[in-house]
Amino acid sequence: QVQLVESGGGSVQAGGSLRLSCAASGLAYSTYSMGWFRQVTGKEREGVAVIDTDGSTNYADSVKGRFAISRDNAKRTLYLQMNSLKPEDSGEYYCAAAFGAYPIQALRLGIYGMDYWGKGILVTISS
């Protein structure tokens, strides 16, 4: 059974930092492209950052230069370092996995579907 379990969310003030983690089990982790997506109530889910099986990354314009996605294949864990946080970064953050390699921007934009999703974790940034 595949499980993606997010951790590290919470509430911080604007300008602060958070590091999200996603622990994966039940899948051949290194063969999956991974991503972070977020959703705000009433809005469509958006791709924040994705990382391919070879380590290539792609980010939403709104987070470039502030967020960094990384993966540790030995630990089967995905990370999202979020710095200089803004209130508009608030939302439910989801970890997701897609088997294989894809055009990475297209993966982030949702043109290709993800195979597995975590349950999400809440991030709240106060001004």
Side-chain angles (χ1 to χ4, degrees):
Q1 180 181 1
V2 174
Q3 283 192 313
L4 301 175
V5 181
E6 300 96 339
S7 62
S11 298
V12 297
Q13 288 191 325
S17 298
L18 283 173
R19 188 194 195 201
L20 303 184
S21 298
C22 170
S25 61
L27 76 172
Y29 180 75
S30 63
T31 65
Y32 281 76
S33 297
M34 302 295 297
W36 290 99
F37 297 77
R38 70 183 173 202
Q39 187 160 26
V40 178
T41 303
K43 294 187 177 182
E44 288 189 3
R45 184 172 58 202
E46 66 168 336
V48 175
V50 296
I51 184 166
D52 206 342
T53 54
D54 64 0
S56 300
T57 59
N58 186 269
Y59 297 90
D61 287 343
S62 61
V63 307
K64 280 181 182 176
R66 300 188 298 121
F67 289 15
I69 188 171
S70 61
R71 63 189 299 163
D72 186 329
N73 288 344
K75 295 182 178 180
R76 303 161 69 89
T77 302
L78 179 72
Y79 303 99
L80 184 68
Q81 179 66 44
M82 305 188 293
N83 299 324
S84 302
L85 284 160
K86 305 176 181 180
E88 52 264 41
D89 294 322
S90 298
E92 192 83 11
Y93 281 71
Y94 297 88
C95 170
F99 177 70
Y102 297 83
I104 197 165
Q105 184 179 32
L107 187 65
R108 182 181 61 77
L109 293 174
I111 294 173
Y112 300 96
M114 305 300 283
D115 296 312
Y116 301 104
W117 292 87
K119 293 184 178 180
I121 193 163
L122 185 63
V123 170
T124 304
I125 313 302
S126 58
S127 58

